[in-house]
Amino acid sequence: MTVIGLTGGIASGKSTVAKYFADLGHKVIDADQLGHRAYEPDSECYEMVVEAFGSGIVAPDRTIDRRELGSTVFGNPEALKQLTDIVWPEIKRLAKLEIDEFERTGSSRPIVLEAAVLIEAGWQDIVDEIWVVTVDKEVAIARATSRDGVAREAVEARISAQLSNEERLREADVNIPNNLSEQDLFRSLDREIRLLEQRREQA
C-alpha cells in the first residue's frame, strides 16, 4: 500500500485534487476533519488546549470556539507554536490510526492524506510520497479573492505566512502545477497516477 501525502498552499487546488482521488475510489484522509476531532470535548487534546489557553475559548456548548482560539494565537508566534505542539501530534496520531485501519482491509490501492501543514508538522514519516500542488502567487491571489471574497492584502498575508512553493518542492516527490484549467490539472493527475502505478509495479 502506498500513502500519498498531498499538500499545497492557499488556492492551489489541493482539495480539488483530493476530491479527484476520492471520485476515482481512493480513500482520502482529510487532516482538517481530523483537526476537528482533536478538539472534541473531554478528549486529552481538548483538555490540553483549554488548559493552555483558558476557558475563554470554550463555547456555551463546551466545544472549542475555533474563531476565539484563532484570535488568541493570531500574530503571536509563541502561542501558535504552543497550540500546534499540542494539536499536530494528535492529528498525526489520528491519521496513522486511519492509515493502519485501511491497511488491515488488505487493499493495495494508494491512500491519500490531504494536509496543508504536512511538511510544517513533520508528518513525512507516515507517508510514502509527497505530492505538492503548486500555483503561481498571482494566480493564487486571484482565485482566493474571487472564491473567498477577501481583500488582496489578506490573501498576501496568508501566503507570506505559509511555506513557499520552493520550500515545499524541496520535500516533494511529485509536483502538480495548477496554473491553468481544471482539465489541465486532471490530465496532469492522470499522468502522475499512471507513473505511480509503474513505480509500484517496479518496487
Side-chain angles (χ1 to χ4, degrees):
M1 188 184 73
T2 302
V3 182
I4 296 169
L6 174 64
T7 192
I10 179 175
S12 63
K14 172 174 55 65
S15 296
T16 301
V17 172
K19 184 178 183 303
Y20 191 74
F21 271 109
D23 289 345
L24 290 175
H26 294 276
K27 179 173 177 60
V28 176
I29 301 170
D30 184 341
D32 283 344
Q33 292 181 3
L34 298 184
H36 286 283
R37 283 174 53 190
Y39 286 126
E40 287 178 356
D42 302 322
S43 68
E44 182 179 359
C45 184
Y46 171 94
E47 299 292 350
M48 291 172 67
V49 171
V50 173
E51 181 179 353
F53 296 98
S55 59
I57 64 166
V58 180
D61 62 358
R62 296 188 64 247
T63 61
I64 288 177
D65 185 332
R66 292 170 68 107
R67 180 171 295 181
E68 183 64 31
L69 178 60
S71 66
T72 300
V73 302
F74 181 77
N76 186 336
E78 289 184 3
L80 180 59
K81 185 178 186 306
Q82 185 180 14
L83 177 62
T84 56
D85 283 349
I86 295 169
V87 177
W88 282 354
E90 176 62 8
I91 297 174
K92 179 181 180 180
R93 185 186 72 83
L94 293 171
K96 189 67 168 63
L97 286 174
E98 291 212 15
I99 291 168
D100 291 345
E101 181 180 346
F102 183 74
E103 190 168 18
R104 283 193 294 272
T105 68
S107 174
S108 62
R109 300 201 71 185
I111 180 174
V112 178
L113 171 61
E114 178 194 357
V117 298
L118 178 79
I119 296 168
E120 297 93 319
W123 298 340
Q124 295 95 322
D125 61 330
I126 63 171
V127 302
D128 300 302
E129 294 190 357
I130 296 176
W131 290 30
V132 176
V133 188
T134 56
V135 64
D136 291 345
K137 181 178 178 180
E138 287 302 319
V139 177
I141 291 170
R143 287 177 181 167
T145 52
S146 173
R147 179 192 69 192
D148 302 332
V150 296
R152 177 188 177 94
E153 293 74 18
V155 179
E156 288 180 327
R158 288 181 62 184
I159 291 173
S160 297
Q162 297 179 337
L163 293 181
S164 66
N165 283 335
E166 292 73 23
E167 288 171 315
R168 289 192 183 91
L169 288 174
R170 281 200 287 270
E171 299 284 336
D173 297 288
V174 174
N175 175 27
I176 308 290
N178 183 25
N179 291 306
L180 302 175
S181 70
E182 198 169 80
Q183 290 307 310
D184 285 302
L185 172 63
F186 294 158
R187 278 193 289 269
S188 295
L189 276 172
D190 288 339
R191 182 177 63 253
E192 293 299 342
I193 290 169
R194 287 195 300 271
L195 291 172
L196 171 63
E197 289 308 314
Q198 290 176 17
R199 291 194 295 276
R200 281 156 54 88
E201 289 170 3
Q202 294 165 5

